[in-house]
């Protein structure tokens, strides 16, 4: 099925460029691997190189590059990800995102704690947007 028809809701709420990135990567992965989870993982991995999840949508990153260890892999496999959070970003950047998401206690958090807190806040926002 074409990526345009399988567009995840968080990507659909994002910029046209984010949508094109996901669709192009998805459709290419379907040609290579066939329909299914692997095509979706590949599309999200490609998206994470230029975009990060903030709340219920994806925003362009200041600098391109993989957002977590999973996105660094040439062929994404099942496993832990940061859920679209740019875990490779600076602590200050993560703090600024946490501030935008109104995460309490952010000033006392380590970088890893900020990543986890942002991921949880993003999941809450996505669930709220679906309702």
């Amino acid at each position: 099925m074409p990526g345009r028809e399988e567009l995840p809701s968080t990507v659909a709420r994002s910029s046209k460029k984010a949508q094109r990135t996901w669709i192009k990567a998805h459709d290419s992965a379907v040609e290579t691997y066939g329909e299914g989870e692997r095509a979706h993982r590949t599309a999200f991995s490609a998206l994470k190189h230029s975009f990060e999840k903030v709340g219920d949508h994806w925003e362009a990153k200041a600098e391109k590059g993989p957002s977590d260890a999973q996105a660094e892999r040439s062929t994404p496999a099942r496993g832990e990800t940061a859920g679209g959070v740019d875990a490779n970003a600076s602590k200050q950047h993560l703090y600024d995102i946490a501030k935008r998401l109104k995460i309490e206690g952010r000033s006392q958090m380590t970088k890893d704690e900020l990543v986890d807190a942002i991921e949880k806040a993003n999941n809450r926002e996505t669930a709220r947007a679906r309702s």
Side-chain angles (χ1 to χ4, degrees), residues 12-64:
R13 286 189 290 275
S14 303
S15 70
K16 295 294 181 193
K17 184 173 182 184
Q19 292 176 23
R20 285 192 309 269
T21 299
W22 194 92
I23 291 166
K24 184 177 178 182
H26 175 270
D27 291 350
S28 177
V30 167
E31 288 178 21
T32 304
Y33 309 121
E35 288 286 347
E37 182 183 343
R38 190 169 185 187
H40 283 257
R41 285 195 317 262
T42 301
F44 274 113
S45 180
L47 185 68
K48 291 176 184 180
H49 274 71
S50 298
F51 297 87
E52 65 182 316
K53 190 171 177 206
V54 179
D56 67 345
H57 64 283
W58 294 80
E59 295 182 2
K61 295 189 325 188
E63 294 182 28
K64 292 182 180 182

Side-chain angles (χ1 to χ4, degrees), residues 48-120:
K48 291 176 184 180
H49 274 71
S50 298
F51 297 87
E52 65 182 316
K53 190 171 177 206
V54 179
D56 67 345
H57 64 283
W58 294 80
E59 295 182 2
K61 295 189 325 188
E63 294 182 28
K64 292 182 180 182
S67 59
D68 57 35
Q70 186 70 304
E72 290 173 2
R73 297 174 57 130
S74 60
T75 305
R78 290 185 183 106
E80 290 291 316
T81 71
V85 177
D86 189 2
N88 290 334
S90 69
K91 184 177 179 184
Q92 182 62 51
H93 176 77
L94 294 169
Y95 175 84
D96 293 342
I97 296 293
K99 187 174 182 180
R100 285 179 52 199
L101 295 171
K102 298 180 173 78
I103 295 172
E104 293 185 21
R106 62 188 171 267
S107 63
Q108 304 299 316
M109 293 182 183
T110 65
K111 185 175 177 179
D112 288 341
E113 289 170 333
L114 284 167
V115 169
D116 290 341
I118 293 168
E119 183 177 8
K120 288 176 185 171

